[in-house]
Amino acid sequence: QNNVEQLPLILTLLFIAGIGFPVVSAICGLVWVIGRQVYAWGYYQSSAARVYGGFFHLGELGLLGTCIAFAVNLLKHTPAY
């Protein structure tokens, strides 16, 4: 359930970041997927073991950062009217 709730945000960030930085966004997406798998595996083992998969937030932050960098690059190259 938690994974499905985060998919719209992640897919949107992945799409936007992938336009400007395809390799970096692919790596961040891979980090997110692996982190979610480790999180789910730890959650099935015990609720205390799910913290090991918390590194999936690094993928989220990376995607957010690349989206911001892409937006800044677009604003820099937009002609002023």
Side-chain angles (χ1 to χ4, degrees):
Q1 180 68 24
N2 190 2
N3 194 26
V4 174
E5 293 170 355
Q6 290 189 3
L7 275 176
L9 172 70
I10 292 300
L11 291 178
T12 303
L13 289 174
L14 192 61
F15 176 72
I16 294 170
I19 295 171
F21 304 98
V23 175
V24 175
S25 64
I27 292 170
C28 290
L30 183 65
V31 167
W32 185 82
V33 168
I34 292 172
R36 291 304 294 182
Q37 291 293 323
V38 172
Y39 178 85
W41 179 76
Y43 191 79
Y44 298 142
Q45 299 298 319
S46 70
S47 61
R50 65 184 171 184
V51 297
Y52 298 123
F55 65 88
F56 72 88
H57 291 296
L58 295 175
E60 289 176 355
L61 291 174
L63 286 173
L64 185 61
T66 53
C67 282
I68 291 170
F70 181 57
V72 168
N73 285 339
L74 283 177
L75 290 173
K76 283 182 184 177
H77 299 295
T78 303
Y81 294 106

